[in-house]
Amino acid sequence: MKALHFSRLAALTAAAVLPLALAAPAQAATTIAFDCQADAPIIGPQQVSLNQDADVTAPATVAPGAAFDVVIDPAPNEVPGEVAGNTVKNINTFALKFPIPANSTYVGADLAGGSGLGSTAPAIAVSGGVATLSFPGPIAGGATFELPTITAHLTAGASGTIETKLSGTSYSDPGLTFKAVAGTFIGDITAPTACFPNPSPVFTTTTIG
């Protein structure tokens, strides 16, 4: 696993979500490259990049109509104490989205572990075929944190393949959002940040049959 890395203004977050498995698992270690834009007041939009490694496991095959699980276990990460000469005060208001895979039905999800995420525990909500992992934070600059392990419970459709991946195609259609608070020569500023995976990897592929 690798730590996340930012460039320029805005802090960082971690992430990745989706699936794991049962019998005959197929496992993939994936590096997700996020392309981000921090909307910093006065300074203006700043392009930011971050990487997150994730081990993802899912069954290689599943019977039609059968229940199965998919899981991801994010690595610990550290918020930088300083970015581009500015002190990072905290990062907060996280939302990470992933689509419910085609040819499957969402049943529920369990969260386990995680640390340093603030006093309010992360939660998952599903709306419009998209699952969102969110928590308010904040996480102080320089602090270490770890997102929870997510186990998604799904039911296979009648046929086809089930692919897991993250949401997001552009800054206006992000898969990850958060806010970074930084201390600058003009005082503290809050930079809402929108990110999408670029490229967007397929984490796992499960064949129904």
Side-chain angles (χ1 to χ4, degrees):
M1 297 285 193
K2 298 179 181 177
L4 298 180
H5 301 285
F6 266 94
S7 60
R8 307 224 8 138
L9 184 64
L12 70 92
T13 187
V17 248
L18 288 193
L20 161 111
L22 292 176
Q27 184 166 332
T30 302
T31 296
I32 304 160
F34 284 101
D35 185 346
C36 305
Q37 181 171 275
D39 188 10
I42 301 177
I43 299 173
Q46 302 292 310
Q47 271 58 55
V48 188
S49 62
L50 67 85
N51 293 326
Q52 172 66 49
D53 288 355
D55 288 326
V56 183
T57 312
T61 61
V62 65
F68 68 103
D69 291 346
V70 289
V71 174
I72 187 168
D73 185 7
N77 288 276
E78 183 177 301
V79 179
E82 182 178 295
V83 175
N86 299 305
T87 300
V88 177
K89 297 294 187 69
N90 69 72
I91 53 176
N92 64 82
T93 319
F94 297 86
L96 180 66
K97 299 179 179 181
F98 55 97
I100 304 304
N103 300 318
S104 73
T105 301
Y106 177 82
V107 177
D110 297 323
L111 302 179
S115 62
L117 303 177
S119 59
T120 302
I124 287 184
V126 176
S127 178
V130 176
T132 301
L133 173 72
S134 64
F135 60 95
I139 305 172
T144 297
F145 68 99
E146 183 176 5
L147 294 177
T149 297
I150 301 169
T151 301
H153 308 298
L154 304 175
T155 300
S159 62
T161 58
I162 300 169
E163 295 184 340
T164 60
K165 61 190 301 183
L166 289 174
S167 296
T169 59
S170 66
Y171 302 140
S172 60
D173 176 33
L176 168 66
T177 58
F178 60 94
K179 294 179 181 178
V181 179
T184 73
F185 68 95
I186 59 174
D188 290 355
I189 63 172
T190 299
T193 305
C195 309
F196 66 98
N198 185 21
S200 182
V202 173
F203 300 130
T204 62
T205 299
T206 298
T207 301
I208 301 172

